Amino acid sequence: MAKSLQEQLLAAGLIDKQKAKKAAKELKKQDHLQRTGQDNQIDEAKAKADAARKEKAERDRELNQKKEQEAQQKAIAAQVRQLVTTNAIKSEHADIKYQFVDGKKVKSIYVDQAIWDRLSRGQLAVIALDLPGEKKYEVLPLQIAEKIRQRKDNHFIYIAESTADAMDEDDPYAAYQIPDDLMW
């Protein structure tokens, strides 16, 4: 009669009795689980554990991405704040009120005559600086305003339209000069 593979391996000395018993026990256990239907439950539990692990990894990945975006937004806000504070043009004798529109509200800042002239010609820009508890407006050169717009395109920047070059041909008052000292 033919010997089983296990008996042949034992006779050859390739395995010992403990390994043979362990293999036989594992084989009986698998056979029993298949007969009773519990084998499917183990596979289902493994599948659920794998799905839960993948879901947790996805949540962690989304959370890390959200944290990175928040950190990037904070860094951009800090860059904008630094550009505004270092390049703001200060008025020495701020006695003239310059008015502009922020959203639906008319806002104003006090500047001197030279800055008022450059603002009204569109050579300077007014930018909002959000400080804790208040909103402050500063005057900046156009190059700095463009750098800020590149970093944060939805930031409030007001640049007056220059109307000195564009005159309407049908304007009935085109021949009349507007005095320079006229304040609206």
Side-chain angles (χ1 to χ4, degrees), residues 98 100 109 119 124-128 137-140 156-158:
Y98 183 78
F100 56 94
I109 57 173
L119 277 169
L124 293 176
V126 177
I127 188 163
Y137 296 97
E138 296 287 344
V139 179
L140 293 175
F156 173 74
I157 298 174
Y158 173 79

Side-chain angles (χ1 to χ4, degrees), residues 132-165:
E134 69 175 308
K135 193 172 189 178
K136 186 178 176 185
Y137 296 97
E138 296 287 344
V139 179
L140 293 175
L142 289 178
Q143 298 86 0
I144 304 301
E146 284 303 316
K147 285 182 182 180
I148 292 172
R149 187 170 282 155
Q150 288 172 358
R151 285 174 174 77
K152 193 174 179 184
D153 60 346
N154 61 350
H155 199 82
F156 173 74
I157 298 174
Y158 173 79
I159 301 172
E161 296 177 13
S162 58
T163 58
D165 299 334

Side-chain angles (χ1 to χ4, degrees), residues 43-56:
D43 290 341
E44 289 174 11
K46 285 183 181 178
K48 286 180 182 178
D50 288 341
R53 191 170 35 254
K54 288 179 182 177
E55 186 178 321
K56 184 180 182 314

Side-chain angles (χ1 to χ4, degrees), residues 3-28:
K3 294 183 179 179
S4 70
L5 178 62
Q6 188 176 28
E7 291 173 355
Q8 290 175 10
L9 290 174
L10 274 172
L14 297 175
I15 61 170
D16 57 0
K17 287 187 178 185
Q18 288 180 344
K19 286 184 182 180
K21 284 183 181 180
K22 188 175 182 181
K25 186 176 179 182
E26 186 66 30
L27 189 60
K28 286 182 182 180

Side-chain angles (χ1 to χ4, degrees), residues 3-169:
K3 294 183 179 179
S4 70
L5 178 62
Q6 188 176 28
E7 291 173 355
Q8 290 175 10
L9 290 174
L10 274 172
L14 297 175
I15 61 170
D16 57 0
K17 287 187 178 185
Q18 288 180 344
K19 286 184 182 180
K21 284 183 181 180
K22 188 175 182 181
K25 186 176 179 182
E26 186 66 30
L27 189 60
K28 286 182 182 180
K29 184 177 178 182
Q30 289 294 329
D31 187 39
H32 176 70
L33 289 176
Q34 283 181 351
R35 279 186 286 135
T36 59
Q38 293 176 352
D39 191 30
N40 293 338
Q41 292 176 354
I42 293 174
D43 290 341
E44 289 174 11
K46 285 183 181 178
K48 286 180 182 178
D50 288 341
R53 191 170 35 254
K54 288 179 182 177
E55 186 178 321
K56 184 180 182 314
E58 182 65 30
R59 277 196 318 262
D60 290 345
R61 197 173 11 261
E62 289 174 2
L63 185 62
N64 286 340
Q65 186 178 16
K66 186 177 178 182
K67 285 182 181 180
E68 287 175 6
Q69 287 176 348
E70 289 174 0
Q72 186 177 15
Q73 289 174 352
K74 285 181 182 180
I76 289 173
Q79 289 175 358
V80 167
R81 199 174 313 112
Q82 182 181 11
L83 280 171
V84 171
T85 55
T86 57
N87 297 304
I89 298 173
K90 301 291 181 189
S91 298
E92 293 178 20
H93 305 289
D95 56 348
I96 300 173
K97 189 177 192 181
Y98 183 78
Q99 296 181 335
F100 56 94
V101 178
D102 181 2
K104 293 184 179 182
K105 295 183 179 181
V106 175
K107 299 290 183 172
S108 61
I109 57 173
Y110 285 93
V111 294
D112 58 14
Q113 185 64 43
I115 294 175
W116 188 89
D117 289 339
R118 291 180 66 195
L119 277 169
S120 62
R121 286 191 214 120
Q123 296 173 347
L124 293 176
V126 177
I127 188 163
L129 181 62
D130 293 324
L131 299 173
E134 69 175 308
K135 193 172 189 178
K136 186 178 176 185
Y137 296 97
E138 296 287 344
V139 179
L140 293 175
L142 289 178
Q143 298 86 0
I144 304 301
E146 284 303 316
K147 285 182 182 180
I148 292 172
R149 187 170 282 155
Q150 288 172 358
R151 285 174 174 77
K152 193 174 179 184
D153 60 346
N154 61 350
H155 199 82
F156 173 74
I157 298 174
Y158 173 79
I159 301 172
E161 296 177 13
S162 58
T163 58
D165 299 334
M167 294 293 258
D168 288 336
E169 295 175 11

